[in-house]
Amino acid sequence: MNEESEETNRWRYLTPRLNTRSPKDAVLNGTKVKQLIAEQITAHPFEDPYSSECYVNDARIYWRCISKVQCVHSGAEAMELMLKSNRILEDLSRGELYQGDTFHTKLVIRKWADIDPELEFRTFVSKGQVTGITQYHMKCYIPEFSQNKEKIIKAITDKVEKLNPLIDAPDKTYTIDFVFSRDFEVCTLIEINDPPPTAGTSLFIWDDEDDKKIIFEGPLTLRILEAPVPWEEQTDIHSPLKSFIDAMRGRITKSPETQKEPAEDVGSCLLQ
């Protein structure tokens, strides 16, 4: 009985997804993510909110909060997340459109693990060999990456070498994602995907023939940002949340709407 209780407790926090994609877009317009962002902004004040350091920090806060709010505690919360996601709706609709009655998908329930999502890397494997490694969030500058290049490459290539015999992919060609601990001592598998162009290529440009050649032929190439991306060019950050962060930092005049307490989430129709 105690063993069952301990196991149940370990699964108290979970995150749902399909076997295709996660419903991470569903959290963008909710109140929970704003509450988390507000807490983090308050906990990490900057004397100069217009400094490069502050902007870099705010981008990291954004991605951490987007990830954290995908942690759910019940089946009802999991279903709410799935039903509000356009990504999930798109995957189901495309599957039915192109495959008809033969289409099938899977609901995946994962035990929640706290990670720093900005430390995630996408890796391209062609014929069993690592050809390209890129930071996953293509506009989120992480200064620690430059200081740990060799460690990142070695950890990922070592992981792929161990996992490769277990991965059933055509021609041993696939995309695989890993995330690092803050000290870069632990490299954890996130997920395995189809090769590009089905999988995104982050800092590699799919339409660039040289980049495409690297992805499928090598030589092994690591791509990271070497300098911060200006805040106004952070188009990967959901615009209303970027404005919310600016308001929290005092970078724009707070409107009466911004000053209001967050309203309760309202229901969302599946076909919206």
Side-chain angles (χ1 to χ4, degrees), residues 163-174 192 194:
L163 292 169
N164 197 54
L166 306 175
I167 298 173
D168 183 17
D171 297 324
K172 290 293 183 182
T173 299
Y174 52 90
I192 303 167
D194 290 331

Side-chain angles (χ1 to χ4, degrees), residues 52 54-64 116-121 134-146 202-203 223-231 233-237:
S52 176
C54 185
Y55 284 125
V56 168
N57 183 77
D58 288 350
R60 298 181 76 159
I61 284 176
Y62 171 82
W63 291 114
R64 288 179 185 176
D116 293 315
E118 75 274 19
L119 302 183
E120 183 175 351
F121 281 85
T134 171
Q135 65 177 85
Y136 187 87
H137 296 293
M138 58 188 296
K139 295 188 177 183
C140 186
Y141 173 65
I142 309 296
E144 301 97 302
F145 286 168
S146 296
S202 297
L203 291 178
R223 295 265 175 94
I224 60 173
L225 291 176
E226 299 287 358
V229 174
W231 184 247
E233 296 177 17
Q234 293 275 356
T235 52
D236 289 351
I237 296 179

Side-chain angles (χ1 to χ4, degrees), residues 127-250:
K127 298 178 180 178
Q129 300 298 313
V130 176
T131 54
I133 302 172
T134 171
Q135 65 177 85
Y136 187 87
H137 296 293
M138 58 188 296
K139 295 188 177 183
C140 186
Y141 173 65
I142 309 296
E144 301 97 302
F145 286 168
S146 296
Q147 303 158 15
N148 291 277
K149 288 181 181 179
E150 293 183 3
K151 186 177 288 188
I152 291 167
I153 293 173
K154 185 178 188 314
I156 289 178
T157 52
D158 286 351
K159 282 282 188 179
V160 170
E161 184 177 356
K162 292 179 181 178
L163 292 169
N164 197 54
L166 306 175
I167 298 173
D168 183 17
D171 297 324
K172 290 293 183 182
T173 299
Y174 52 90
T175 301
I176 186 167
D177 299 339
F178 297 97
V179 68
F180 281 87
S181 58
R182 294 185 185 184
D183 59 6
F184 290 89
E185 294 298 328
V186 180
C187 177
T188 303
L189 170 67
I190 295 293
E191 63 183 10
I192 303 167
N193 295 294
D194 290 331
T198 302
T201 53
S202 297
L203 291 178
F204 288 85
I205 308 302
W206 178 248
D207 292 332
D208 185 295
E209 291 302 319
D210 290 335
D211 278 7
K212 191 179 296 185
K213 185 175 181 180
I214 290 173
I215 289 173
F216 289 113
E217 299 179 21
L220 197 163
T221 302
L222 172 67
R223 295 265 175 94
I224 60 173
L225 291 176
E226 299 287 358
V229 174
W231 184 247
E232 59 271 17
E233 296 177 17
Q234 293 275 356
T235 52
D236 289 351
I237 296 179
H238 190 50
S239 181
L241 290 179
K242 182 192 278 189
S243 297
F244 179 75
I245 293 171
D246 283 332
M248 287 293 302
R249 289 292 187 194

